[in-house]
Amino acid sequence: MTQQKHYPQHIDLEPVLHAQGVVRLPGSKSISNRTLLLAALAEGTTTIHDMLASDDTMVMLGALRSLGIRWDEVDERTVIVHGNGGVLPEAAADLFMGNAGTAIRPLTAALAVIGGDYTLHGVSRMHERPIGDLVDALNAVGAQIEYTGEQGFPPLRIRRGHITANRMAVRGNVSSQFLTALLMAAPLMATTHPVSIDVVGELISKPYIEITLNLMRRFGVEVEQNGWASFTVQPGQRYQSPGTIHVEGDASSASYFLAAGAIAGGPVRVEGVGEHSIQGDVRFADALERMGAIVTRGENWIEVQSNGMLKAIDADFNHIPDAAMTIAVAALYADGPSTLRNIASWRVKETDRLSAMATELRKVGAEVEEGPDYIRITPPDELKPATIDTYDDHRMAMCFSLASLDGKARRGNAMRINDPKCVAKTFPDYFEAFAGIARNELF
């Protein structure tokens, strides 16, 4: 679906005096890939509107096609998926999953339950991203998943197992995607008896589980909750197509533009998410409010403008780990040191984001303390121009575009962003959208 576009080896961003404008967001990656898989597993045909066209959704679409699921592209943002009622026409397939965690984790669970002979592999970084907790949970109840490389990591070989247990357990403190995967596969297991999933330890990124539960409900499956400790799917429920479904704009992508409004005047409005969004990352705007920005919310939009220099923040960001990266760069414009806590999950994302963020923030002049699950950022008196390495991580590239902004007391600088093509993972047109809110007049 994604239009192939040419990216240079680097992009040079000139200092931006003022940020102002309106941005229409691309579709949510988390919602898009969950919806694609649920539509494939459902009975009936589902038309998906406003879907994200990106590398990660292309990975999921390609995998579904390899598994025999038919889908038709109406346009770049609309796909019709012909569900097959929990059955896969192709009982054997070799699936390339790129670096798409939102694709490989749920597919692993679904394929393990449905059964067949499947191999799943990806780029080298995918083979460094843990999947052992999910595999252990599935193998413990009769799945047959083998590691073909390092134990605990992809690549995987999935053969036909025999899942019989009605209770599963998975650790919650590495990635919420493991629980999401088991939840989405649970109705395929709960044919004659309930299936319960117990969460061992703390569950991180709870808002992403809320997205999963909301979408399962849209496809006709109710999940019973015992707080965040356990989840139960009663027997006899099957995924049913809702007919048509619209994908919300990506709230994580919204964070860059909202932060730009907070740093460099504004107002900047994003369209596609609003006050009733099912995505937890809309709470990023709450963090900007705590830092002193003026935030206004509507049904399908959020708008931010600055209210003087940003205030330093010390907060737990476990609930919005992806959007929290944007706070780390916004902290460059704050009136003192900021501390982002409970973000250990950064280390197992597209790169080790804690280490990468610390390294690049130091390049622009910040003092940085990097802990096992926190980062403390002391802003410099003046930002330095820098060449930013992106580590093949889309969020690193988008975050550091903000260092080109003029925050009055702390002027932005020319920034060179290396390997800008990494934004294609979730937002192929990011730099064009960023240029669209860049103004040369003072505010």
Side-chain angles (χ1 to χ4, degrees):
M1 282 189 63
T2 304
Q3 296 292 322
Q4 293 296 318
K5 55 183 292 174
H6 173 73
Y7 292 91
Q9 289 186 327
H10 60 259
I11 283 181
D12 289 323
L13 301 177
E14 295 301 317
V16 176
L17 297 179
H18 181 198
Q20 183 177 351
V22 178
V23 177
R24 178 71 187 179
L25 296 169
S28 160
K29 176 185 70 170
S30 297
I31 296 176
S32 293
N33 268 349
R34 284 167 172 79
T35 301
L36 283 171
L37 181 55
L38 291 174
L41 297 174
E43 296 175 350
T45 298
T46 305
T47 301
I48 306 171
H49 294 283
D50 300 322
M51 198 186 82
L52 173 65
S54 75
D55 289 352
D56 279 17
T57 50
M58 286 293 293
V59 162
M60 180 66 91
L61 285 165
L64 293 178
R65 181 157 280 170
S66 296
L67 294 167
I69 299 296
R70 291 192 304 116
W71 54 266
D72 305 309
E73 179 182 346
V74 178
D75 56 48
E76 191 178 54
R77 299 179 65 177
T78 309
V79 173
I80 299 172
V81 179
H82 304 277
N84 215 45
V87 177
L88 296 174
E90 296 293 337
D94 179 61
L95 305 176
F96 175 72
M97 308 308 300
N99 195 14
T102 57
I104 193 171
R105 275 104 180 228
L107 268 175
T108 293
L111 295 176
V113 174
I114 293 169
D117 189 353
Y118 304 106
T119 56
L120 291 85
H121 57 99
V123 300
S124 58
R125 175 58 185 173
M126 175 62 84
H127 298 166
E128 298 171 351
R129 299 179 68 180
I131 201 167
D133 289 303
L134 175 60
V135 171
D136 290 348
L138 290 163
N139 281 347
V141 296
Q144 192 174 343
I145 308 172
E146 305 164 10
Y147 301 110
T148 61
E150 185 178 349
Q151 290 290 303
F153 301 87
L156 303 176
R157 176 98 181 252
I158 301 174
R159 303 176 194 267
R160 190 175 302 280
H162 185 59
I163 295 178
T164 56
N166 60 4
R167 196 158 206 107
M168 312 177 72
V170 66
R171 285 203 303 158
N173 64 348
V174 177
S175 173
S176 65
Q177 290 177 5
F178 301 155
L179 176 57
T180 277
L182 295 176
L183 285 168
M184 291 175 67
L188 307 177
M189 295 183 258
T191 52
T192 59
H193 54 267
V195 170
S196 294
I197 304 164
D198 296 323
V199 178
V200 179
E202 179 192 9
L203 176 62
I204 65 172
S205 306
K206 295 181 181 71
Y208 285 97
I209 301 302
E210 291 176 335
I211 292 174
T212 302
L213 298 175
N214 184 295
L215 291 173
M216 290 175 67
R217 198 175 303 120
R218 290 288 305 275
F219 280 84
V221 171
E222 292 286 342
V223 179
E224 299 171 6
Q225 271 185 262
N226 176 20
W228 297 103
S230 67
F231 301 80
T232 300
V233 174
Q234 294 296 336
Q237 301 188 79
R238 297 174 65 86
Y239 288 125
Q240 303 284 341
S241 169
T244 298
I245 191 165
H246 290 261
V247 175
E248 287 185 6
D250 192 283
S252 302
S253 296
S255 70
Y256 314 111
F257 303 102
L258 298 179
I263 294 164
V268 175
R269 176 177 291 201
V270 296
E271 295 181 340
V273 293
E275 56 189 344
H276 302 303
S277 168
I278 67 171
Q279 297 171 78
D281 276 357
V282 294
R283 292 160 66 185
F284 173 84
D286 298 344
L288 290 180
E289 279 187 310
R290 287 184 59 184
M291 297 179 80
I294 300 169
V295 180
T296 313
R297 300 167 179 82
E299 183 66 30
N300 196 43
W301 56 269
I302 303 173
E303 184 174 282
V304 173
Q305 62 187 92
S306 63
N307 187 27
M309 194 172 191
L310 290 174
K311 300 171 185 173
I313 190 170
D314 185 333
D316 185 319
F317 284 98
N318 181 268
H319 59 300
I320 55 168
D322 288 344
M325 293 180 69
T326 314
I327 293 291
V329 178
L332 293 170
Y333 297 89
D335 61 4
S338 293
T339 305
L340 287 63
R341 302 184 185 278
N342 204 6
I343 51 171
S345 65
W346 279 18
R347 296 201 182 275
V348 294
K349 297 284 188 175
E350 283 80 345
T351 188
D352 179 343
R353 287 175 169 169
L354 262 168
S355 177
M357 185 62 74
T359 299
E360 303 309 308
L361 287 170
R362 291 184 183 115
K363 288 183 181 178
V364 299
E367 293 182 19
V368 182
E369 180 184 341
E370 175 194 341
D373 64 349
Y374 73 90
I375 190 168
R376 181 176 172 84
I377 302 143
T378 302
D381 292 332
E382 291 185 7
L383 293 174
K384 299 176 182 178
T387 296
I388 301 298
D389 292 315
T390 52
Y391 308 82
D392 198 24
D393 186 338
H394 56 135
R395 300 209 185 281
M396 290 295 292
M398 293 186 280
C399 280
F400 276 92
S401 66
L402 299 175
S404 66
L405 296 174
D406 187 337
K408 283 193 175 178
R410 195 165 290 120
R411 286 190 173 278
N413 269 294
M415 290 289 146
R416 172 167 285 187
I417 309 292
N418 283 336
D419 192 28
K421 72 178 183 295
C422 60
V423 300
K425 182 176 175 68
T426 52
F427 201 155
D429 298 324
Y430 173 76
F431 288 105
E432 291 88 339
F434 184 75
I437 63 166
R439 304 284 184 266
N440 288 324
E441 71 275 12
L442 286 169
F443 58 95

